């Protein structure tokens, strides 16, 4: 298994994984999110590959201070193997290397099952609300 930056050639496999993992929403095209991350100077998408098969992803980026993690996904056949933990560790290393001093992530309120995973990794409830507004 190898973890490396995705390329545009991996967009189909990554978005398919995200759909299977329940991470996508119809109003937010994941292909565009992925391409923006690949094109940005302060972000990337890391992929875990078993030979040439994409089995996990994590999108990572920073604003110069805070790092953010999105689209952590592990293929169903690989869940419980430690791959999610390994992807998060690699994302945290990427953020440290790029100067971020903290990392944040958002969990949808309907995804309670993943909270224990993040708590086990040392993530705490930041006691904030995320507000959003569509610009397009």
């Amino acid at each position: 298994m190898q973890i490396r930056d995705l390329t545009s050639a991996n967009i189909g496999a990554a978005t398919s994984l995200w759909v299977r993992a329940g991470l996508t929403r119809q109003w937010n095209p994941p292909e565009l999110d992925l391409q923006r991350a690949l094109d940005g100077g302060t972000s990337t998408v890391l992929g875990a590959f078993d030979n040439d098969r994409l089995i996990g992803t994590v999108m990572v980026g920073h604003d110069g201070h805070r790092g953010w993690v999105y689209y952590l996904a592990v293929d169903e056949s690989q869940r419980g193997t430690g791959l999610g933990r390994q992807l998060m560790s690699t994302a945290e290393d990427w953020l440290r290397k790029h100067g971020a001093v903290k990392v944040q992530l958002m969990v949808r309120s309907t995804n309670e099952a993943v909270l224990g995973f993040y708590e086990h990794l040392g993530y705490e409830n930041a006691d904030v609300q995320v507000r959003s507004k569509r610009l397009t």
Side-chain angles (χ1 to χ4, degrees), residues 4-116:
R4 64 179 186 263
D5 289 349
L6 295 186
T7 68
S8 295
N10 305 121
I11 289 176
T15 57
S16 176
L17 176 62
W18 296 349
V19 167
R20 292 192 314 273
L23 298 179
T24 60
R25 298 296 180 262
Q26 70 180 32
W27 59 84
N28 189 33
E31 300 86 358
L32 297 179
D33 280 350
L34 200 157
Q35 192 64 59
R36 282 186 198 107
L38 296 179
D39 292 344
T42 59
S43 58
T44 195
V45 182
L46 302 168
F49 291 86
D50 182 14
N51 295 313
D52 288 330
R53 188 170 80 94
L54 183 66
I55 57 172
T57 64
V58 62
M59 182 182 289
V60 60
H62 68 90
D63 63 13
H65 174 74
R66 290 170 201 83
W68 285 91
V69 171
Y70 306 93
Y71 289 109
L72 175 66
V74 172
D75 186 89
E76 191 170 5
S77 69
Q78 300 296 313
R79 292 184 188 157
T81 66
L83 180 56
R85 184 175 0 98
Q86 192 171 358
L87 283 164
M88 285 300 294
S89 178
T90 304
E92 291 170 3
D93 289 345
W94 188 97
L95 288 166
R96 281 186 203 94
K97 178 181 170 188
H98 289 85
V101 298
K102 69 186 278 191
V103 60
Q104 300 181 151
L105 54 86
M106 294 179 280
V107 177
R108 287 193 178 95
S109 58
T110 58
N111 193 0
E112 292 183 22
V114 78
L115 292 176

